[in-house]
Structure formats: C-alpha cells, structure tokens
Amino acid sequence: MDGGFSKKLFMKYHNKKVVVDGMKFDSKKESQRFLELSLMQRGGYISDLQRQVKYILIPSQKIDGKVVEREVSYKADFVYKDNTTGKTVVEDVKGVKTKDYIIKRKLMLFIKGIRIKEV
C-alpha cells in the first residue's frame, strides 16, 4: 500500500464517535467545538447554530429519468450567524484534509460563494 494513503485511512478511521446530550459526533474534537459554539450562542456572540447542514454542489444527473451520476454534496459540521458581523459562518472541524474535502471546499467557494472556516 501507498504509505501516505494508508496513513490517512488510519488517522481518519481512528476518530472515535462521541455522544453529547444524545447527539452523535464524528470525533471528540467536533463535540468539543459544539460545546464551545453552544456557549457562544448562550452568550449572544452567535445565533442560529445548526449541525450537519447539507449543501448540494452538483445535482444528480439523469438520462431518460434514470440517475446516471449521483449528486455531489458537502455537509458542514456547523453553520451559525456571527452576531458581531451579521454574516453566516460555515465551519468544518478538520483533522485530515482529504482530496475529496479539498475539492468540495473549492466547489463551495466557486459555486456557492462560501468560504469554509476550518477549525
């Protein structure tokens, strides 16, 4: 196996799922960020905190009513409004930046005009 590829798989799949207040998170880091954002929301710094928001980047492609290519989508870890700036923030808690993620990050900026905040 390619050393870099197997290392990425090893790192990605060793994230442990975490449950906080009945909500499942992909990693401990993501659950900790949620707790930070929740405190920020309670303090009035941010509002409208959402988790796992899906953005369709390329819709599914059909020929004669049959899907020949599935949609390409990006799922943000968190989306919220920054009450200081009034702007919506799309945030991703990153450990490893996979090639797929980098392409989707670029598509989010190009298609949706949204720059992802990486934490």
Side-chain angles (χ1 to χ4, degrees):
M1 260 199 220
D2 174 321
F5 179 73
S6 61
K7 182 179 178 185
K8 283 183 183 177
L9 280 178
F10 176 82
M11 292 172 70
K12 181 177 181 179
Y13 292 113
H14 276 72
N15 283 339
K16 293 187 179 179
K17 304 277 184 187
V18 178
V19 177
V20 176
D21 293 334
M23 294 177 283
K24 293 181 185 179
F25 295 90
D26 288 336
S27 67
K28 184 176 180 181
K29 186 175 178 181
E30 187 178 321
S31 70
Q32 289 174 335
R33 183 60 180 157
F34 176 73
L35 293 174
E36 291 170 1
L37 291 171
S38 295
L39 286 173
M40 290 171 67
Q41 182 164 254
R42 279 186 234 137
Y45 299 100
I46 68 169
S47 57
D48 304 322
L49 178 60
Q50 301 171 65
R51 296 181 55 234
Q52 302 297 309
V53 177
K54 181 179 177 180
Y55 292 87
I56 296 175
L57 300 171
I58 304 171
S60 62
Q61 308 296 304
K62 295 180 181 181
I63 296 177
D64 297 327
K66 182 179 178 190
V67 174
V68 293
E69 293 290 344
R70 295 185 313 192
E71 75 180 26
V72 174
S73 61
Y74 164 73
K75 194 174 283 188
D77 290 329
F78 305 107
V79 175
Y80 55 88
K81 179 181 173 188
D82 181 326
N83 290 338
T84 306
T85 64
K87 294 184 179 181
T88 298
V89 178
V90 175
E91 191 172 287
D92 201 290
V93 179
K94 275 283 144 238
V96 176
K97 294 179 188 174
T98 64
K99 286 181 182 182
D100 282 349
Y101 167 74
I102 291 169
I103 290 169
K104 289 179 181 184
R105 181 187 69 199
K106 291 177 181 186
L107 285 169
M108 281 288 285
L109 183 56
F110 183 73
I111 295 169
K112 303 285 188 183
I114 297 171
R115 182 138 196 204
I116 298 170
K117 178 181 177 182
E118 298 172 347
V119 179

